[in-house]
Amino acid sequence: MNKAFGNDDPRLSAYIGAVYAPEDAVLAEIRTRSIAAGLPDIQVAALDGRHLELLTRLLGARRAVEIGTLGGYSGVCILRGMAEGGQLHSLELAPHHAEVARESFRRAGFATRARVHVGAALEVLPGLAAEGPFDLVFIDADKKSTPEYFEWALELTRPGSVIVTDNVIRDGALIDTGNQDPTVLGGRRFHELLAADRLGDARVSATTIQTVGSKGYDGFTLALVLPA
Ligand code: SAH
Ligand code: DHB
Ligand code: MG
């Protein structure tokens, strides 16, 4: 699915697509090959991928971590935002997804700059400490564990780093109190963690911007890591 910008107005989506052309042939091939390989069609929207690329470039990031690789779509966006020599560690539970992603990184010209770690992220993250601190962490794996990933991201970064978290809105599921799905509860716990942080010694300065999800609107939380 080539997710539309503007939620429900196809003319606006076509206009923005024409102006920014956020998905080139390399990314389109990754999206279609991932779907053909049976991966779920849940990569970031093309323009949200552009947001990731530009944010990475704005940060001058040279070392990044991604939690949740899928077929490598968002990872390629992050790698494109990094200067020559920038390195991405991307964490993926499913070996088949990791294989598809390695091919994507190779095709995008990043074979030597992307490392895909196969395993449960909570088991892989402690081993990354020696490679840090990282300039950017993108959290986009199983949503029930998002708060735990955020705590790990704080461990692996430094003041001035940015932690981006995907799928923090879920088309309003977040505020539907009847929805007790573990993925939604993970999102609520994540926002509560940020709110508690604001009340005490803030560890981050955070905001949430709207993105285009696979079922409607969604969001990225941007969190700047503050000095202790
Ligand atoms: N960042 C990707 C989308 C990731 S989808 C993009 O936008 O292109 C979420 C991915 O997280 C899936 O591939 C899923 O297999 C993986 N995942 C789920 N649970 C995980 C875990 N515990 N550790 C690491 N990856 C996990
Ligand atoms: C879904 C969307 C995502 O961006 C993701 O990372 C995982 C799941 C979804 O819509 O189910
Ligand atoms: Mg996502």
Side-chain angles (χ1 to χ4, degrees):
M1 178 190 354
N2 202 346
K3 296 174 188 168
F5 179 84
N7 295 338
D8 59 3
D9 188 337
R11 296 168 310 158
L12 184 56
S13 187
Y15 176 77
I16 293 294
V19 173
Y20 295 97
E23 185 176 90
D24 66 356
V26 172
L27 287 174
E29 190 277 336
I30 291 171
R31 189 165 49 76
T32 53
R33 180 168 39 80
S34 297
I35 294 161
L39 272 54
D41 190 7
I42 56 173
Q43 67 289 325
V44 292
L47 198 69
D48 295 322
R50 175 63 60 81
H51 296 342
L52 278 179
E53 177 184 338
L54 191 68
L55 180 68
T56 306
R57 190 165 292 135
L58 285 169
L59 285 169
R62 301 184 59 84
R63 297 175 206 198
V65 173
E66 171 178 69
I67 309 176
T69 316
L70 192 66
Y73 193 104
S74 57
V76 165
C77 297
I78 293 168
L79 281 155
R80 284 178 169 177
M82 284 197 279
E84 202 54 49
Q87 288 273 352
L88 175 71
H89 291 270
S90 191
L91 279 51
E92 174 55 54
L93 179 65
H96 177 54
H97 296 190
E99 274 316 303
V100 172
R102 286 189 180 113
E103 174 68 8
S104 301
F105 293 136
R106 193 186 65 72
R107 288 184 184 230
F110 297 123
T112 62
R113 292 173 47 194
R115 184 152 163 223
V116 184
H117 300 255
V118 179
L122 286 173
E123 282 163 32
V124 175
L125 283 162
L128 287 181
E131 310 278 339
F134 293 94
D135 308 308
L136 172 72
V137 178
F138 179 50
I139 301 174
D140 192 19
D142 51 320
K143 311 307 164 190
K144 68 178 185 312
S145 301
T146 290
E148 285 71 35
Y149 297 147
F150 190 76
E151 292 294 344
W152 264 108
L154 285 167
E155 290 293 318
L156 296 172
T157 51
R158 51 160 178 82
S161 300
V162 169
I163 304 167
V164 181
T165 306
D166 194 24
N167 308 114
V168 298
I169 303 290
R170 309 308 296 271
D171 201 20
L174 184 75
I175 54 165
D176 171 5
T177 49
N179 192 329
Q180 297 292 317
D181 187 89
T183 66
V184 175
L185 294 177
R188 282 190 204 123
R189 277 201 298 130
F190 173 67
H191 288 287
E192 283 157 17
L193 195 136
L194 290 178
D197 213 51
R198 280 175 61 90
L199 298 174
D201 293 327
R203 296 176 294 176
V204 295
S205 176
T207 190
T208 291
I209 61 168
Q210 195 169 314
T211 62
V212 185
S214 53
K215 296 175 198 78
Y217 63 94
D218 212 317
F220 270 172
T221 295
L222 309 179
L224 173 69
V225 179
L226 298 175

